[in-house]
Amino acid sequence: MGLALAGATIMMAAVLLPGKAEAQFGLRGGPLGVARFAVGHVIGMSRLRHSRMAVRGGRYRSAALRSQDPRQDPRGAERGQNSNPYVLRAALTAQAALSGWQGGRRPQGWWRHPDGSYGWVGPVFWPFAHDDLTNAVVFGDATSLSLYGYGDIYAALFAPYAATELAAYTAPQGRRGRRVPTAETLCEASDTGGLPVDRIASALQPNELQRVALDELASAWTNARDTIRAACPAQAPASALERLGLMQARIEAMIKAADAIEAPLAKFTGLLDDGQKAKLEALSKDRRAALASMQRKDTSKDTSKDAQASSACDPNSDPRYDEKLQRQYEQLVQQQWPADDVASTLRLDDTARARFEVLQDTTLRTMETLSACPSQTPETPQARLTAVKARLQAMLQAVNGVTDALDDFEADLTDEQKAGFEAIGPKRGA
């Protein structure tokens, strides 16, 4: 589809790779996986530019986060027109993510996703988790879900927010016209989608038995939303380990939610005849086609960049023999992880340096394991649910691995060194 993006996190283009990544990391074909990852993300920045323009112009404010339907542009509703949900989502999350960062003075942050949205909004990780689950399973649209990966893990290690900035997201609602939304508001406002029962019933015209099964599925979907919402942070995580722990909790909640809807989904679809199954699939195809049409209107087509993105995701593509990709790779290497800054600021001994290199390499491996190159959309809701669970399991495994490496790195650090490590993230966004 037109909205499918070749990468997982454009915001990491300035902080990606260590100088010895090829030697230490052992990515497939040397810089193959890394360069392929990087190309897609550089390309991704040219897309959905309207979302960033919306943020710069202040067209969407925190009040929009309290909207009952975050997929609908309030201005578009007045004109009877639907807006591109990805442009609106990017604007909503950007407004919320940046309002508490550096006083809201910056138009964009380095940890943004390729579509301009944010996976970390203050202390909240994956604010649209339930909607992403619904879109991926029901409509076959895993675009947003696929953007989560390496960049979000990196942002957990080197969080851009200072402690005082994070505290603003968990402070009680006080004065009128609050500028920084609370974590609770973010979690409540962004999980409003749910199962489109009326659309499904209208399209399929279910009999009584099928309608009962559909209602059971809708109830399971609501419970899934509540499971994910329960993993919303009550307070701001104060350290990298706590942020990774929050990632684990949110992903585990999504997996639990997916498990809960599996049986009622199989029951409902098992009661459908072939014609109804075709109509159910037509709903997802029609939605993807509508989004593709919106995307063509919202962005200027750059065929050369699209061709480059396609080449970057081609499994037979080898950047080792492409001079342009090699130059891009070398530039990213020079701008990469703050290894020297960490070593000098924390005054690391040889053992701690070695442990930091393990943390660095473990995190970099997630670029390959969580690649977001477009893949063919499974044809049935059950198959899509299986694919979603596999993606979530892979991400949970990646986060767990980085958590273990970080725990080893910090095991012998003093409190002063740990505080110095935490201070590196906000400095990188200065």
Side-chain angles (χ1 to χ4, degrees), residues 1-307:
M1 56 182 295
L3 278 171
L5 302 176
T9 42
I10 181 66
M11 68 285 192
M12 301 317 301
V15 286
L16 282 177
L17 308 173
K20 45 191 172 181
E22 180 178 354
Q24 291 185 335
F25 185 19
L27 280 172
R28 208 166 50 228
L32 171 58
V34 174
R36 181 181 302 151
F37 170 90
V39 170
H41 297 59
V42 171
I43 293 167
M45 200 56 196
S46 69
R47 304 188 177 190
L48 286 180
R49 68 191 186 286
H50 286 54
S51 64
R52 300 197 303 280
M53 293 170 62
V55 174
R56 291 192 192 95
R59 286 155 49 188
Y60 301 102
R61 294 300 173 189
S62 297
L65 289 167
R66 296 188 289 274
S67 170
Q68 290 302 304
D69 187 0
R71 295 180 183 78
Q72 182 69 36
D73 181 341
R75 297 168 302 113
E78 296 174 2
R79 299 191 301 268
Q81 299 174 351
N82 290 327
S83 68
N84 188 320
Y86 289 103
V87 172
L88 180 57
R89 173 184 293 203
L92 291 174
T93 59
Q95 176 63 35
L98 302 178
S99 63
W101 183 60
Q102 298 188 1
R105 296 185 300 272
R106 292 298 186 92
Q108 60 189 24
W110 57 259
W111 70 103
R112 67 192 180 277
H113 283 183
D115 64 349
S117 65
Y118 288 76
W120 279 100
V121 179
V124 177
F125 171 66
W126 211 321
F128 283 88
H130 181 249
D131 287 344
D132 286 344
L133 185 64
T134 302
N135 289 339
V137 176
V138 177
F139 297 112
D141 177 16
T143 303
S144 293
L145 187 147
S146 69
L147 298 181
Y148 285 84
Y150 165 80
D152 303 291
I153 297 173
Y154 184 101
L157 291 173
F158 301 102
Y161 298 97
T164 54
E165 293 171 339
L166 280 178
Y169 287 94
T170 53
Q173 287 279 11
R175 63 187 180 279
R176 197 173 174 184
R178 177 188 174 93
R179 189 157 180 261
V180 180
T182 63
E184 182 180 6
T185 298
L186 289 167
C187 290
E188 290 287 332
S190 60
D191 287 334
T192 59
L195 188 71
V197 176
D198 292 340
R199 288 184 61 190
I200 293 174
S202 176
L204 273 58
Q205 295 297 307
N207 58 35
E208 184 176 353
L209 185 61
Q210 293 169 338
R211 182 68 208 208
V212 170
L214 178 58
D215 290 341
E216 291 175 357
L217 178 58
S219 178
W221 224 280
T222 300
N223 292 336
R225 178 203 63 198
D226 294 340
T227 296
I228 295 172
R229 188 178 293 170
C232 189
Q235 59 186 20
S239 68
L241 279 173
E242 290 181 7
R243 289 186 292 273
L244 289 171
L246 175 59
M247 293 184 78
Q248 291 170 329
R250 292 284 284 177
I251 297 169
E252 286 172 350
M254 292 183 71
I255 293 172
K256 184 177 180 180
D259 287 338
I261 63 177
E262 187 169 16
L265 178 64
K267 177 180 178 181
F268 172 65
T269 56
L271 293 172
L272 303 179
D273 58 37
D274 290 343
Q276 289 173 313
K277 290 179 180 178
K279 291 177 181 178
L280 182 61
E281 186 56 27
L283 288 177
S284 68
K285 291 180 179 178
D286 289 347
R287 183 179 187 275
R288 295 198 296 272
L291 286 172
S293 177
M294 288 179 183
Q295 178 64 3
R296 284 192 293 271
K297 294 177 182 179
D298 284 343
T299 62
S300 58
K301 190 74 170 177
D302 188 328
T303 56
S304 64
K305 289 183 178 180
D306 284 345

